[in-house]
Amino acid sequence: MSPLLPAYAAVVLAGGAARRMGGVDKTSLPVGGRMLLDRVLDAVPDAAEVVVVGPERPVARPVRWAREEPAGGGPAAAVAAGLASVASPVTALLSADLPFLTRAAVERLREELAAGGTAGALYVDDGGAEQLLCGVWRTAALHDAVERVGAVEGLALRRLLSPLSRSSVRAVGAGVPPWLDCDTPEQVARAEELAAGARASGRPSEDARAEAREKAPRTPEPGSRRGMLEPG
């Protein structure tokens, strides 16, 4: 961990119904030889706290588990559950289906947050859409947001976070953007292709950005009727 950056926690949302995956636990699906959840956990090796919100399952590193109340209560409820035990001053809110998230990508968000006066910093896609589960936030601001809304069951994640100021961060380079998620079997298969291409060439696939642009407009607004992983 950089001595110039405050300690941070990672809260990873790893539940939800995954309806577009036919009910399969998509976080356990492999991309590049590692399951999606482990790939996200690999991106936060320096986190002081790691909380995974969702059913317990085997993972490659020690984590603290939490569950939203009630189960299936939506992403805002999951965020509240994950935050309940967090003591670090900064919290990364991450979806468990980000196969190309890296430590460098998370550190860039942390640097952006430390350099500015906003409550959060999060990636935006090439169309400018905020990636609500690929960002870092001041933990106190997140706690305030949860307290402000009161009941979080069924609440849209965007509504929970809307009062908080945030800076927008764009991915750099021509490779696979860190916010690229996997909501369908086709997207998981495409992620596997991109990972295989990167391994074969030693560098990210050049067409990943175009793939992400094509996908981004189809990403729905996060809301209460969807699984906690799906804000994308």
Side-chain angles (χ1 to χ4, degrees):
M1 179 180 67
S2 169
L4 301 178
L5 295 175
Y8 78 105
V11 173
V12 182
L13 273 59
R19 296 178 183 88
R20 286 179 286 173
M21 300 292 291
V24 172
D25 174 16
K26 65 178 175 179
T27 70
S28 67
L29 297 176
V31 170
R34 287 181 70 74
M35 71 177 186
L36 282 168
L37 177 53
D38 279 335
R39 289 180 71 100
V40 174
L41 295 177
D42 289 345
V44 291
D46 52 346
E49 308 169 75
V50 180
V51 183
V52 179
V53 185
E56 293 191 29
R57 69 208 79 172
V59 290
R61 61 168 291 176
V63 302
R64 190 160 66 235
W65 295 94
R67 290 303 306 268
E68 76 278 15
E69 292 292 341
V79 168
L83 282 174
S85 61
V86 167
S88 300
V90 171
T91 298
L93 292 184
L94 304 170
S95 173
D97 63 346
L98 301 171
F100 302 106
L101 185 69
T102 63
R103 177 176 180 172
V106 175
E107 186 164 296
R108 184 162 178 242
L109 291 171
R110 295 170 63 208
E111 289 171 346
E112 182 72 24
L113 183 67
T118 60
L122 69 168
Y123 280 108
V124 296
D125 66 19
D126 289 345
E130 293 181 326
Q131 305 302 298
L132 297 180
L133 290 179
C134 194
V136 300
W137 303 83
R138 301 186 195 279
T139 304
L142 291 175
H143 280 301
D144 288 345
V146 171
E147 291 177 6
R148 185 182 301 115
V149 298
V152 291
E153 180 185 353
L155 185 71
L157 184 58
R158 189 169 299 279
R159 182 176 175 187
L160 174 67
L161 300 177
S162 63
L164 304 183
S165 62
R166 75 285 302 269
S167 56
S168 298
V169 180
R170 291 186 179 271
V172 296
V176 187
W179 46 260
L180 190 66
D181 59 5
C182 296
D183 289 330
T184 67
E186 293 77 17
Q187 289 167 3
V188 173
R190 181 56 176 154
E192 178 62 33
E193 292 176 4
L194 293 171
R199 289 197 306 271
S201 65
R203 60 193 297 271
S205 172
E206 294 291 339
D207 66 348
R209 188 76 67 183
E211 174 76 13
R213 274 197 297 266
E214 181 180 344
K215 169 184 176 294
R218 297 195 298 270
T219 302
E221 180 82 5
S224 61
R225 58 189 174 82
R226 302 181 57 196
M228 70 175 73
L229 280 181
E230 299 182 9

